[in-house]
Amino acid sequence: SVKWLTSIEIVEGGWWGHQMEAYSFRQAEEDTGRVPLTRLPVRALMAPPGCPEFFSRTRVVAPGAQRITGKAWAGAVALDRVEFSYDGGASWVQTELMDKNSPFGWASWEVTWTAQEPGTYVLACRAFDKKGRSQDLASDDAFNWTGMGDTQPQMVYVKVDPKFEEIGSHIDLTAEQRAAKTALNVPYG
């Protein structure tokens, strides 16, 4: 690990070591066109509301106001804003963004989402910095084998169900589990 660095050797020309191999953009495991990651991109993450269902990872909440919190990061660059979506990125609202905890640190953000209607929603968040960088829209074209430098917005499935507050009630998550199994190519049942 680079945190245990004890010496540096100066060599002529370039060098391609483990860190460049491990921390690089690539489209496949053996991609010959790898590009080392030299700077982490702007990023926002959320702490999803509710309780997670184990297999599908769908969160379950009751209708009403949900406080969504998260963190955003842009390295040494100042953050401009963080946006939140409850419809998979079709529309966005600006969150309340606090100050960074240090010059290179994370900043907290929060927003209140009012989930009135029962159903399944896709929550997402994205950050923008003062230099104009932002997170990319979700796309299969931006696939990165290692996930290094991933800039696609975090997306979380949330099921709003009034039965969530009723002790002994049953919430049907069959559709969410089926979708997860399809994505993972696992047989139903």
Side-chain angles (χ1 to χ4, degrees):
S1 172
V2 293
K3 65 184 172 199
W4 305 116
L5 182 67
T6 58
S7 67
I8 297 175
E9 179 183 350
I10 309 301
V11 297
E12 188 175 329
W15 182 75
W16 189 271
H18 170 73
Q19 299 299 327
M20 280 71 99
E21 184 76 21
Y23 301 108
S24 63
F25 293 103
R26 52 184 153 167
Q27 297 291 308
E29 185 175 13
E30 299 301 323
D31 188 347
T32 57
R34 296 176 179 168
V35 178
L37 182 65
T38 58
R39 184 178 324 197
L40 290 174
V42 62
R43 185 86 169 120
L45 295 171
M46 77 178 97
C51 297
E53 188 274 325
F54 179 76
F55 188 78
S56 69
R57 298 294 189 236
T58 298
R59 309 295 287 210
V60 182
V61 299
Q66 305 291 328
R67 183 172 175 255
I68 311 296
T69 63
K71 302 285 186 188
W73 187 85
V77 180
L79 285 158
D80 182 51
R81 69 188 183 280
V82 173
E83 295 178 342
F84 170 80
S85 173
Y86 66 87
D87 56 13
S91 63
W92 297 89
V93 296
Q94 194 162 328
T95 68
E96 181 183 347
L97 180 63
M98 283 56 127
D99 291 334
K100 290 166 65 170
N101 61 6
S102 70
F104 294 92
W106 291 82
S108 295
W109 62 267
E110 63 181 42
V111 66
T112 299
W113 168 52
T114 304
Q116 298 289 6
E117 299 296 320
T120 301
Y121 297 83
V122 180
L123 308 187
C125 60
R126 65 183 181 185
F128 297 79
D129 70 19
K130 296 282 188 178
K131 287 193 173 183
R133 296 183 308 159
S134 67
Q135 291 180 247
D136 298 324
L137 297 176
S139 166
D140 289 338
D141 295 337
F143 175 77
N144 181 0
W145 182 264
T146 62
M148 295 297 158
D150 179 23
T151 62
Q152 296 186 45
Q154 176 191 16
M155 295 197 168
V156 178
Y157 291 85
V158 175
K159 182 163 188 160
V160 176
D161 194 317
K163 292 186 277 183
F164 182 70
E165 294 181 322
E166 299 171 18
I167 295 179
S169 63
H170 173 77
I171 298 174
D172 184 10
L173 293 167
T174 304
E176 289 79 6
Q177 290 177 353
R178 184 167 288 138
K181 288 178 181 179
T182 299
L184 295 170
N185 199 19
V186 175
Y188 301 132

